Amino acid sequence: MESRNFRHKKSLGQNFLVDRNILKFIVERASPGAQDVILEIGPGKGVLTREILAASCALLYSVEIDRALEPFLSDIEALHSRRFRLIWGDAMETAYSSFSPPPEKVIANIPYNITTPLIWRLLEELPSVQYFLLMVQKEAAERITASSGTKNRYPLGITLELMGKASSVRNVPREVFRPVPGVDSCLLEIHLTGEHRELPVDSLWRGMLRSGFSQRRKKLLKNLRGFQPALPWQSFFEQTGIGENSRAEELSAVQWLELRRCAENKKGLFPV
């Protein structure tokens, strides 16, 4: 059979989930409803795809980069032609904003090497999405859910904290994948409330966070001065009650938001 000749591509992060109990857990946790429009990234051999369609949904988009997987997915297209759309292409280049109707949920076992940039891209292009359930590397989940004052604190986690809530709902051992990866995994759940949906596309917000965390050993004040030298950052720190010796990971999400507000008020005085 053609399917038996398939070779997993390490460059694409192809580690396929084979444990039926975890597949069942994913679908039950995501609880797809008859009216839901869902996005799946990297259907692979289609095992999660089939579980989602067997549960319930109005429409499922699946984005897959590897055409060698077509023998595993072609029958799904034939069986569910009215509510399944298979998009061949790179998940980091797909024009998600053109999907109509737009997805409201994302359920996926995503390639670990693109976890952070892919979530940013989905937040940028799909303001319609309210819920994510993602299989990610355990370390990535720890960074995304890290609280202020911890070494794992990162820009994406701060942004998601303001937009809703991200949490790890289940650890997944490496042995349930084929081929077996060199890391353990975790199911990351993200609920978005609809607040601060502008942050992922706000160049000032993204620039502040990127610069603030660019050199973690340096004081935040110095990093932000490098980002926008014309702004009175020390004055902003005083206004928001942030110590001038603070580092990026020490700030709460609300403090970051207050810094953005201060900088936004001066927006006309410098290029963003």
Side-chain angles (χ1 to χ4, degrees):
M1 287 179 64
E2 187 176 3
S3 61
R4 290 179 181 172
N5 296 325
F6 178 78
R7 292 186 178 182
H8 297 81
K9 299 175 181 65
K10 188 175 181 180
S11 62
L12 298 178
Q14 289 180 335
N15 301 97
F16 299 144
L17 182 63
V18 296
D19 189 299
R20 305 299 301 185
N21 290 326
I22 295 177
L23 286 167
K24 182 179 179 182
F25 177 88
I26 291 171
V27 175
E28 289 180 352
R29 182 80 187 193
S31 187
Q35 304 303 315
D36 285 343
V37 178
I38 298 169
L39 170 64
E40 179 190 23
I41 304 294
K45 295 181 180 180
V47 291
L48 178 58
T49 312
R50 296 173 195 275
E51 292 286 343
I52 294 170
L53 289 167
S56 182
C57 69
L59 180 63
L60 174 63
Y61 298 99
S62 290
V63 178
E64 176 56 60
I65 192 173
D66 189 1
R67 278 278 185 176
L69 289 163
E70 192 165 5
F72 299 93
L73 301 172
S74 57
D75 67 312
I76 303 178
E77 282 191 289
L79 289 170
H80 303 280
S81 59
R82 292 186 177 181
R83 60 191 190 104
F84 178 62
R85 295 182 191 173
L86 180 58
I87 297 98
W88 294 104
D90 188 333
M92 287 302 299
E93 297 179 1
T94 300
Y96 299 104
S97 59
S98 68
F99 287 10
S100 181
E104 298 145 350
K105 289 184 176 182
V106 179
I107 308 172
N109 175 17
I110 60 180
Y112 293 170
N113 60 329
I114 61 169
T115 297
T116 297
L118 179 59
I119 295 175
W120 275 119
R121 182 170 175 82
L122 295 175
L123 291 173
E124 291 167 356
E125 293 217 5
L126 288 173
S128 55
V129 172
Q130 300 175 344
Y131 178 83
F132 295 79
L133 186 59
L134 308 173
M135 184 76 74
V136 301
Q137 186 176 339
K138 186 178 179 182
E139 286 77 5
E142 289 171 350
R143 290 195 299 270
I144 291 171
T145 60
S147 57
S148 59
T150 61
K151 65 178 182 179
N152 281 329
R153 187 76 155 165
Y154 273 87
L156 180 56
I158 293 169
T159 304
L160 289 172
E161 184 179 334
L162 291 166
M163 296 176 67
K165 180 176 176 59
S167 57
S168 299
V169 296
R170 179 168 178 167
N171 291 329
V172 181
R174 62 193 73 184
E175 291 79 14
V176 301
F177 296 90
R178 296 292 180 273
V180 178
V183 297
D184 290 322
S185 302
C186 181
L187 276 171
L188 176 71
E189 187 174 58
I190 301 169
H191 290 274
L192 301 181
T193 62
E195 293 185 288
H196 303 297
R197 291 308 297 254
E198 78 285 356
L199 292 180
V201 294
D202 186 311
S203 60
L204 174 59
W205 175 255
R206 297 286 297 272
M208 280 176 48
L209 287 173
R210 183 170 54 250
S211 300
F213 282 89
S214 62
Q215 299 180 73
R216 297 179 67 103
R217 293 185 178 181
K218 289 188 176 181
K219 296 174 184 178
L220 176 60
L221 185 57
K222 185 172 183 178
N223 287 343
L224 292 177
R225 281 172 172 163
F227 165 56
Q228 287 293 345
L231 282 176
W233 291 105
Q234 186 157 358
S235 174
F236 296 164
F237 276 44
E238 292 171 0
Q239 293 176 46
T240 54
I242 300 170
E244 63 178 41
N245 293 323
S246 298
R247 287 178 168 77
E249 67 270 15
E250 296 173 354
L251 270 62
S252 70
V254 172
Q255 286 176 314
W256 275 106
L257 202 60
E258 284 297 297
L259 277 181
R260 171 182 176 258
R261 179 187 59 79
C262 291
E264 184 73 18
N265 289 339
K266 299 286 185 179
K267 190 173 182 179
L269 302 179
F270 68 98
V272 176

